Amino acid sequence: MKVKSLLFIAFLLCSQLQAQEYFPTNTGVKTQNTNLTVFKNAKIHVDPTTIIENGMFIVKDGKIAAIGKSVEIPKNSVVIDLAGKEVYPSFIDVFSSFGIEKPKGGGGNPYSGNPQYDADREGYYWNDHIRPETKALSAFKFDEKQAEKLQQAGFGVVNTHMPDGIVRGTGMLVALNSAGTQGDRIISDRSAQYLSFDKSAESKQIYPASKMGAMALLRQVYHDAKWYQNGGAKNKDLALKAFNENTGLTQIFDAGSLLDVLRADKVGDQFDVQYVILGDGFEFEKIEAIKATNATLIVPLNFPDAYDLEDPYLASYVNLSEMKKWNQAPTNPKTLKQNGIKFAFTTNDLDVKNFRNNLLKAIKYGLDKNTALAALTTVPAQILKKENEIGSLKSGAWANFLITSGDYFDEETIVYENWVQGEKILIEDMNAADLSGEYDLKVAGETYKMKITGEISKPKVEVELGNKKLGSKISVENHWMNLVITSTDTTKKEFIRMVANLPQERKLISGKAILANGTETTFSASKIDSAEENEKKKQQKEKEEKQELLADVVPVTYPNMAFGYASLPKQETILFKNATVWTGESDGILENTDVLIKDGKISKIGKNLSAGNARIIDATGKHLTAGIIDEHSHIAASSINEAGQNSSAEVSIEDVINPDDISIYRNLAGGVTTVQVLHGSANPIGGKSAIIKMKWGHSPEEMIYDNSPKFIKFALGENVKQSNWSSYNRFPQTRMGVEQLFTDYFTRAKEYEQKKNSGELYRVDEEMETLVEILNGERFISCHSYVQSEINMLMKVAEKFDFRINTFTHILEGYKVADKMAEHGAGGSTFSDWWAYKYEVKDAIPYNAAIMHEQGVTVAINSDDAEMGRRLNQEAAKTVKYGGVSEEEAWKFVTLNPAKLLHLDERVGSIKIGKDADLVLWTDHPLSIYAKAEKTLIEGAVYFDLQKNEAMLKENERLRNILATQMLEAKNKGLKTKVVEKIEKVYLHCDSM
């Protein structure tokens, strides 16, 4: 063993002598420091799970040369004794834009001005927001001020990048070594490839104009990169070339919101790419869906501030969901750990000075210290594939470490030094007066209890006499302590002032004191030497504080907002007894009839059915119907239009389902169980739709119909030719142009299919793939329409290419061409009585639905509106008045007929054995304005219950009061608060951006 140690020392010395510096100098004599630095007697946290008590390590040339319980100390070593101190690996921020300035500008609105549709750059990808060739190194400048803040917070390395674009290019790994050169600091100049859903500020190119457009564009990039790599392109594309070169790097996705984490993972899954994803710190709200991504997360520690709710009127403006997030956010790291989700912390969007406080807050809320340390060291190192260089203290790794007075995660611990690449960064002087502890303070015949905490340079003091807490203030400078406490006579503003020159040993501090009356005397402060007892008290206090904090955390609900469920509804076996059953089938309306639902299906229909283990619901005097189906809606989506191109067939509403839209719950309260969420009408060929069940509280994927029929939104009229826009450079501008566009795109789609089927190499085009599905009858068109001439035109275009239009929606002049629609096979989904809200609607009449129905057209009444969706039962009733449609047929306009238009009538839309148990129990005749949905079921689970709704209203108010009180208490404690801003809910429509 001794021989090995001597050989090791010889190696170190020889390597120093042989090292050559190849840079010339013209500024004086060059010397080289050949000393080694040895740190001994420290408690070394090698990594989150490995500790060496009274350990040693050697630093040479910025790296750790040796580490262990006992290491032979080479000659010419500088030895630093760290007895009583602890050493941790310095932290790593895996997501940063340190030293890089984001470009300004960009933007662009397709609805105004002179939008830019094409790219600016030549030799690069067709879309300017794809910039994989960007190198962080080319824009990097070491930021001394920001580096100092990060150093003070314990960071030694940052992974920085250009935060601009959908594909942002490569990042770089930088050591925060203020003494080094740029070359010294760069650990890797190609550390990872970064992606996002946000456009580049370097370009005003309109597309993509939506989140779903960004997702579609990213998918197309993956297709194109593969095609390019296989030699499909005739020209060089520097962007695709760089993208392919970057595929071997870690892929970091800046999602930045809970739903976008799921969306990013969805794109990655399609192309077998596992992203490391930046979240928003609220992952606990959908923890099961987050867990299912299998992604490593980068989690901010930027907990929201409380609202200033002193004005009770303003308090009513704050959403309960925002109040709950404030209360629950500190539990997010603990929840991630409990669910086995790997994560790293970041200071992204955080004032770095708040970093440690927030980290300690997460620990108070249940995060264990090992996981916290891993999230700052080993996990970031693993993400960047640099485990042997950073993140832990081992031989060969960079000498990046912190020296502390004790457990880093104890709020009273002082961080003395942060060494980066073997260079010391002083934070607090280890030899300065560390006064922390409890003392017996004796002055003028009284004995006070004094407790000092906080940083060495900024200590905090608490002084008590008996059970009375006194005002006190302390400062330390140049080994002198100044202490002021208030007199025991609180009726007078009198003080006792004390000053002392601090000794090397801080067990006894003594000096001069000046009493309130001016008398000069002496004082002494004896440190209470009961470290073990103090530690027990501290641990007990921490335990009690943690229990108290966690007791104040309100439960997470599904979704985590007003009217969220404590647990998700489950399928039940239910027997409805003695209902008036609107079957929607040939059986018509059945009086005093029972319906049994089991395993999510309608099991039996009849009289005097036996219950078995079913829950019995007495439906006497009530009406049981199939759930309402809305063929045309824009609720439950984060975006509706992709207006950046005249065709957006590649985008999908399924990508942007928002399961937390309160309109879902409100529509359930109106008996709606199925909705087709349609793309808007900004362009002739819109995007693919999403057909969802209103499973309030579930994830987006769980809401979408399994084996969902495929639909796409087309549009005609004023919107698509931009009649009401200020845009003049996008084709088409006329109704004639709209027809030509359809013809052109379907001609291209046929050519694309021929090339695809030829067996030769072809470029996968997601837009063309969608149009080919239409040509082959695999995807159905629901077309926004008003004017008869355009309705005729599109039917002729479809017939020319040998397919049919499935549904004309709006179709307010359908009564003029109902016979032709019936002949073509098109259905009509219309409003009951909307008219005259714009020029092309001036010929609308409330008899439209009845007339189309009489001509054999399958007719549905839709909402196109979140508010109207809550009362579609009443909209259906209007067709009884306007046109004399029977009540049974009118009810089919919002149940069975939309099911037929959506090709779902084998599953939903009527009460028939074997169909999904999507049912509504009404308090009254379902077409009556007095009818309320008492229970709304989806697949045998109750998603709305009128009685439970009343209880939820009370619970919402109870939670608001609890959380408002907590926020007021936070303000009273001096914590930061934010001003209340009234946030109006934005309702999306056909022309929404």
Side-chain angles (χ1 to χ4, degrees):
M1 186 70 184
K2 189 173 182 181
V3 173
K4 287 184 179 179
S5 298
L6 290 172
L7 288 173
F8 171 70
I9 295 167
F11 166 75
L12 290 177
L13 293 173
C14 288
S15 64
Q16 290 171 341
L17 294 171
Q18 293 170 358
Q20 298 291 322
E21 291 195 24
Y22 52 87
F23 294 112
T25 179
N26 298 297
T27 57
V29 178
K30 290 186 76 171
T31 60
Q32 183 179 355
N33 184 355
T34 59
N35 287 341
L36 294 88
T37 307
V38 177
F39 299 84
K40 68 177 185 177
N41 296 327
K43 181 177 181 179
I44 304 171
H45 298 261
V46 175
D47 57 46
T49 58
T50 308
I51 295 174
I52 303 174
E53 298 284 355
N54 295 317
M56 301 173 65
F57 61 100
I58 301 173
V59 173
K60 175 187 177 295
D61 294 336
K63 293 191 174 182
I64 295 175
I67 187 168
K69 184 73 174 176
S70 178
V71 175
E72 192 86 24
I73 301 176
K75 293 180 181 179
N76 74 320
S77 295
V78 175
V79 179
I80 299 175
D81 191 346
L82 296 179
K85 310 294 191 300
E86 300 192 26
V87 175
Y88 291 83
S90 295
F91 305 148
I92 305 162
D93 194 337
V94 76
F95 190 95
S96 173
S97 58
F98 170 79
I100 296 177
E101 186 175 349
K102 182 178 180 178
K104 297 177 176 62
N109 186 344
Y111 285 168
S112 62
N114 196 27
Q116 177 184 325
Y117 291 100
D118 297 321
D120 282 328
R121 307 184 301 167
E122 292 186 6
Y124 294 88
Y125 197 60
W126 63 268
N127 191 282
D128 281 341
H129 305 296
I130 306 301
R131 314 175 80 84
E133 74 287 348
T134 301
K135 294 180 173 62
L137 181 60
S138 63
F140 179 77
K141 183 179 179 182
F142 194 80
D143 186 334
E144 293 282 358
K145 289 184 178 180
Q146 185 63 15
E148 183 178 353
K149 292 178 182 178
L150 289 163
Q151 292 161 356
Q152 297 279 329
F155 288 87
V157 175
V158 292
N159 191 41
T160 187
H161 78 296
M162 173 62 75
D164 181 69
I166 291 173
V167 181
R168 298 175 166 183
T170 53
M172 60 186 288
L173 194 58
V174 182
L176 297 172
N177 177 7
S178 298
T181 66
Q182 188 104 314
D184 295 332
R185 298 183 188 115
I186 298 172
I187 297 173
S188 172
D189 63 349
R190 293 182 72 251
S191 57
Q193 175 161 261
Y194 284 80
L195 308 95
S196 79
F197 292 135
D198 298 326
K199 298 197 292 186
S200 170
E202 294 272 18
S203 173
K204 291 188 177 181
Q205 187 173 359
I206 291 299
Y207 185 82
S210 67
K211 188 68 57 70
M212 58 185 165
M215 294 178 71
L217 175 59
L218 193 50
R219 288 189 179 100
Q220 193 59 56
V221 170
Y222 280 106
H223 289 308
D224 289 347
K226 183 177 179 181
W227 168 74
Y228 185 83
Q229 191 171 40
N230 292 334
K234 295 179 181 178
N235 302 318
K236 181 174 285 188
D237 188 314
L238 297 176
L240 290 179
K241 179 175 179 291
F243 187 85
N244 285 327
E245 290 171 349
N246 297 342
T247 55
L249 302 174
T250 297
Q251 307 290 301
I252 297 179
F253 205 106
D254 178 2
S257 77
L258 176 53
L259 290 177
D260 284 350
V261 170
L262 304 180
R263 291 162 181 160
D265 185 70
K266 183 178 179 181
V267 174
D269 286 350
Q270 184 176 338
F271 298 95
D272 295 322
V273 178
Q274 183 61 73
Y275 296 125
V276 176
I277 307 177
L278 174 70
D280 63 357
F282 303 123
E283 289 75 24
F284 62 90
E285 294 189 309
K286 298 193 187 312
I287 196 66
E288 290 300 324
I290 291 293
K291 186 176 180 179
T293 68
N294 293 316
T296 297
L297 298 182
I298 303 171
V299 181
L301 276 169
N302 195 9
F303 303 137
D305 296 323
Y307 284 98
D308 184 345
L309 299 183
E310 280 195 330
D311 184 341
Y313 175 73
L314 290 177
S316 64
Y317 287 156
V318 182
N319 289 333
L320 179 59
S321 61
E322 294 302 308
M323 299 175 81
K324 292 181 74 174
K325 283 181 178 179
W326 166 77
N327 169 271
Q328 298 160 340
T331 68
N332 189 57
K334 176 199 72 171
T335 304
L336 292 172
K337 168 63 176 177
Q338 287 176 337
N339 285 274
I341 298 167
K342 185 184 287 189
F343 63 93
F345 286 132
T346 179
T347 62
N348 185 59
D349 285 338
L350 172 69
D351 187 339
V352 182
K353 69 181 182 183
N354 296 327
F355 166 76
R356 191 176 181 205
N357 285 339
N358 285 5
L359 178 63
L360 297 182
K361 189 173 186 178
I363 288 169
K364 287 178 181 178
Y365 277 81
L367 178 65
D368 67 280
K369 296 175 182 180
N370 286 354
T371 301
L373 183 57
L376 290 164
T377 55
T378 52
V379 173
Q382 290 163 7
I383 289 172
L384 299 170
K385 304 172 186 175
K386 294 288 182 182
E387 301 98 314
N388 292 327
E389 296 183 56
I390 55 175
S392 60
L393 302 176
K394 56 187 175 183
S395 182
W398 286 105
N400 299 341
F401 57 91
L402 304 174
I403 301 175
T404 69
S405 64
D407 183 347
Y408 176 84
F409 301 103
D410 184 335
E411 62 184 10
E412 296 180 10
T413 292
I414 299 163
V415 179
Y416 294 120
E417 295 171 4
N418 183 359
W419 289 66
V420 180
Q421 293 184 315
E423 295 288 341
K424 182 174 78 172
I425 298 160
L426 180 64
I427 298 173
E428 292 282 1
D429 186 354
M430 275 195 284
N431 297 315
D434 179 7
L435 302 178
S436 57
E438 295 183 4
Y439 297 80
D440 283 333
L441 173 64
K442 296 181 179 180
V443 59
E446 296 280 9
T447 300
Y448 302 81
K449 292 294 183 185
M450 179 172 70
K451 181 179 180 181
I452 300 176
T453 58
E455 300 173 10
I456 291 175
S457 58
K458 298 177 182 178
K460 299 174 183 177
V461 66
E462 295 177 3
V463 178
E464 292 182 357
L465 183 63
N467 293 322
K468 185 181 291 184
K469 188 173 181 180
L470 305 178
S472 56
K473 186 177 181 181
I474 190 171
S475 63
V476 175
E477 188 173 357
N478 295 328
H479 297 281
W480 284 86
M481 179 189 80
N482 285 281
L483 176 65
V484 179
I485 64 174
T486 59
S487 169
T488 53
D489 185 354
T490 55
T491 62
K492 302 176 182 178
K493 291 187 176 179
E494 296 179 339
F495 308 93
I496 301 174
R497 295 173 172 83
M498 289 159 275
V499 62
N501 189 1
L502 296 169
Q504 190 70 30
E505 285 289 329
R506 274 84 193 197
K507 290 189 176 182
L508 177 65
I509 302 170
S510 60
K512 292 182 179 180
I514 300 175
L515 305 181
N517 60 10
T519 303
E520 186 174 309
T521 184
T522 61
F523 81 94
S524 67
S526 303
K527 199 167 189 178
I528 301 171
D529 193 13
S530 56
E532 188 175 334
E533 187 63 29
N534 287 341
E535 182 63 25
K536 287 181 179 178
K537 286 181 181 179
K538 186 177 75 174
Q539 290 179 1
Q540 181 62 27
K541 183 180 178 182
E542 288 176 353
K543 183 179 179 181
E544 290 171 0
E545 184 181 36
K546 184 179 291 186
Q547 289 173 342
E548 185 178 337
L549 286 170
L550 292 175
D552 286 340
V553 176
V554 301
V556 174
T557 56
Y558 306 93
N560 195 38
M561 55 188 292
F563 301 102
Y565 306 126
S567 59
L568 290 173
K570 292 181 172 59
Q571 284 184 352
E572 298 180 69
T573 300
I574 298 176
L575 178 61
F576 292 97
K577 297 287 290 183
N578 300 321
T580 299
V581 179
W582 295 56
T583 66
E585 297 287 337
S586 57
D587 291 337
I589 301 173
L590 305 175
E591 300 289 343
N592 300 317
T593 298
D594 303 343
V595 176
L596 177 67
I597 61 173
K598 186 177 182 181
D599 299 327
K601 300 288 184 181
I602 298 168
S603 178
K604 293 180 181 178
I605 304 169
K607 296 183 183 295
N608 301 315
L609 297 181
S610 59
N613 294 323
R615 174 160 72 108
I616 298 175
I617 296 176
D618 184 2
T620 304
K622 299 171 184 177
H623 296 250
L624 187 68
T625 72
I628 290 173
I629 299 171
D630 193 349
E631 185 275 339
H632 183 149
S633 179
H634 297 300
I635 67 168
S638 299
S639 58
I640 290 299
N641 270 301
E642 176 45 68
Q645 298 178 153
N646 53 24
S647 167
S648 55
E650 72 283 357
V651 310
S652 176
I653 295 289
E654 286 189 1
D655 286 339
V656 289
I657 290 298
N658 175 13
D660 300 341
D661 184 351
I662 190 62
S663 295
I664 298 171
Y665 185 75
R666 291 171 179 167
N667 274 244
L668 281 167
V672 181
T673 54
T674 291
V675 158
Q676 178 175 216
V677 189
L678 283 164
H679 186 276
S681 55
N683 35 22
I685 300 177
K688 293 170 277 192
S689 65
I691 304 176
I692 64 172
K693 290 204 176 191
M694 310 291 271
K695 293 181 179 179
W696 181 239
H698 285 264
S699 70
E701 295 303 311
E702 291 169 328
M703 295 178 75
I704 297 169
Y705 265 79
D706 57 326
N707 300 315
S708 176
K710 298 178 179 179
F711 275 80
I712 187 171
K713 173 77 170 289
F714 276 25
L716 306 168
E718 294 179 12
N719 293 359
V720 300
K721 68 185 185 68
Q722 305 147 90
S723 300
N724 304 312
W725 302 10
S726 299
S727 170
Y728 306 108
N729 64 350
R730 195 197 80 178
F731 182 86
Q733 298 284 310
T734 66
R735 297 180 192 275
M736 295 179 292
V738 173
E739 179 180 7
Q740 186 56 50
L741 181 137
F742 288 132
T743 300
D744 176 59
Y745 269 92
F746 282 117
T747 300
R748 287 171 53 199
K750 292 191 75 168
E751 293 170 352
Y752 173 84
E753 186 178 30
Q754 289 169 2
K755 187 170 185 178
K756 179 179 178 179
N757 294 335
S758 69
E760 61 180 291
L761 179 65
Y762 73 101
R763 172 181 175 265
V764 175
D765 186 326
E766 294 225 338
E767 180 182 38
M768 289 294 116
E769 290 282 339
T770 303
L771 297 181
V772 167
E773 289 177 342
I774 296 170
L775 290 173
N776 293 334
E778 298 167 350
R779 185 171 295 277
F780 307 106
I781 295 171
S782 183
C783 184
H784 163 113
S785 55
Y786 290 100
V787 178
Q788 64 169 328
S789 59
E790 293 185 288
I791 297 164
N792 271 324
M793 173 272 289
L794 188 57
M795 287 193 291
K796 290 176 181 177
V797 169
E799 289 166 3
K800 177 181 177 181
F801 288 94
D802 198 26
F803 68 89
R804 295 295 181 267
I805 305 301
N806 188 87
T807 310
F808 283 103
T809 190
H810 302 323
I811 192 70
L812 294 186
E813 289 188 18
Y815 65 94
K816 297 181 181 180
V817 288
D819 54 344
K820 293 181 179 179
M821 288 172 60
E823 183 181 347
H824 179 81
S829 182
T830 188
F831 298 128
S832 60
D833 60 354
W834 279 20
W835 65 83
Y837 51 89
K838 58 180 176 177
Y839 183 79
E840 64 185 352
V841 193
K842 65 188 181 74
D843 280 359
I845 59 174
Y847 299 92
N848 184 45
I851 293 172
M852 288 193 294
H853 172 65
E854 288 170 3
Q855 292 296 317
V857 175
T858 300
V859 176
I861 301 293
N862 68 59
S863 73
D864 190 26
D865 177 80
E867 176 60 30
M868 184 182 285
R870 303 167 65 181
R871 47 187 169 83
L872 277 174
N873 63 316
Q874 296 175 33
E875 298 301 304
K878 293 175 183 177
T879 61
V880 178
K881 177 179 180 179
Y882 296 110
V885 177
S886 71
E887 289 184 351
E888 280 189 67
E889 288 301 316
W891 188 247
K892 290 179 185 178
F893 283 9
V894 292
T895 52
L896 185 59
N897 286 6
K900 289 178 178 177
L901 293 178
L902 295 175
H903 299 266
L904 291 169
D905 51 306
E906 290 298 315
R907 298 171 65 175
V908 292
S910 63
I911 297 180
K912 181 180 179 181
I913 293 174
K915 284 195 174 187
D916 291 354
D918 294 5
L919 304 172
V920 185
L921 182 65
W922 301 90
T923 59
D924 209 322
H925 191 296
L927 295 174
S928 167
I929 61 171
Y930 299 107
K932 294 180 181 179
E934 184 175 299
K935 287 181 173 58
T936 303
L937 289 76
I938 299 175
E939 295 172 5
V942 179
Y943 280 87
F944 176 80
D945 184 290
L946 195 58
Q947 188 175 359
K948 288 182 179 179
N949 181 71
E950 293 299 318
M952 291 168 82
L953 283 167
K954 294 177 182 177
E955 176 64 7
N956 291 342
E957 193 59 33
R958 187 185 74 86
L959 286 176
R960 289 185 67 86
N961 290 334
I962 289 173
L963 294 171
T965 300
Q966 289 182 7
M967 288 184 172
L968 286 170
E969 289 173 352
K971 183 179 180 180
N972 292 336
K973 290 177 182 178
L975 299 179
K976 186 180 177 183
T977 58
K978 56 186 176 183
V979 176
V980 173
E981 294 181 4
K982 187 175 183 179
I983 301 174
E984 298 284 355
K985 176 173 169 54
V986 177
Y987 292 94
L988 301 179
H989 301 92
C990 271
D991 56 355
S992 298
M993 278 294 288

